[in-house]
Amino acid sequence: MSTPPREPYPDITMSRALARFTDDLIRVPGTTFGIGADAVVGLIPGVGDLIGTGLSSAIMVDAVRQRVPLPVLARMGGNLLLDTGMGFVPVAGDALDVLHRANRKNYRLLEECVRTGRRVDVSAKGYLGLAVAMVAAFVVVSLVLVGLLIWGLFAGIGALVR
């Protein structure tokens, strides 16, 4: 019995699985297009965006663990913010989110850095602090945006009830 092939980069297998789960879980029959869990939970206003942001941040944490350069982390954070921002647009935002695939993009950025050996030296002063602060800032801004969305939904519902 043969053993299954190993992942090319075993240190980032969790991020690969997460990107697949969130962006490409089920293939649309007859196409190469997939839909993931992020698109499904994104249909739940606010809560879906909160779950999506949490899952997306795990890939960024993995990127810090792999010492991905700060400009790459900034691109990943931009993908996360764009993904979160699209959640504000009803229906069309969910469709755009399916097309944007932030987690797949972020995984590919991470994989490219690992494959090509682009990483910050362990002895680089301040990398860990800056990287953690950058990821935390992107996640906090995303969560604040989600909070504003939820607040807006409740305020809108409250205005309709009066």
Side-chain angles (χ1 to χ4, degrees), residues 55-128:
L55 292 173
S56 297
S57 64
I59 295 173
M60 291 187 69
V61 169
D62 205 13
V64 171
R65 190 174 61 81
Q66 293 296 324
R67 296 199 177 268
V68 166
L70 294 175
V72 176
L73 281 177
R75 281 186 62 196
M76 294 172 82
N79 286 333
L80 175 64
L81 285 177
L82 183 59
D83 190 57
T84 302
M86 284 189 269
F88 278 80
V89 183
V91 184
D94 295 316
L96 290 173
D97 186 31
V98 169
L99 297 174
H100 180 247
R101 301 173 184 274
N103 295 314
R104 182 167 43 165
K105 287 180 180 181
N106 285 349
Y107 171 73
R108 285 185 178 157
L109 289 169
L110 171 60
E111 180 186 39
E112 179 184 341
C113 286
V114 171
R115 181 177 43 82
T116 61
R118 285 183 55 209
R119 59 185 301 172
V120 176
D121 189 345
V122 177
S123 64
K125 293 185 182 205
Y127 170 79
L128 188 59

Side-chain angles (χ1 to χ4, degrees), residues 3 17 20 32 38 42-43 46 50 56 62 70 77 83 86-87 91 106 117-118 131 135 141 151-153 156:
T3 58
R20 184 179 185 292
T32 59
D38 190 42
L43 294 172
L50 185 63
S56 297
D62 205 13
L70 294 175
D83 190 57
M86 284 189 269
V91 184
N106 285 349
R118 285 183 55 209
V135 170
V141 168
W151 176 79
L153 288 171

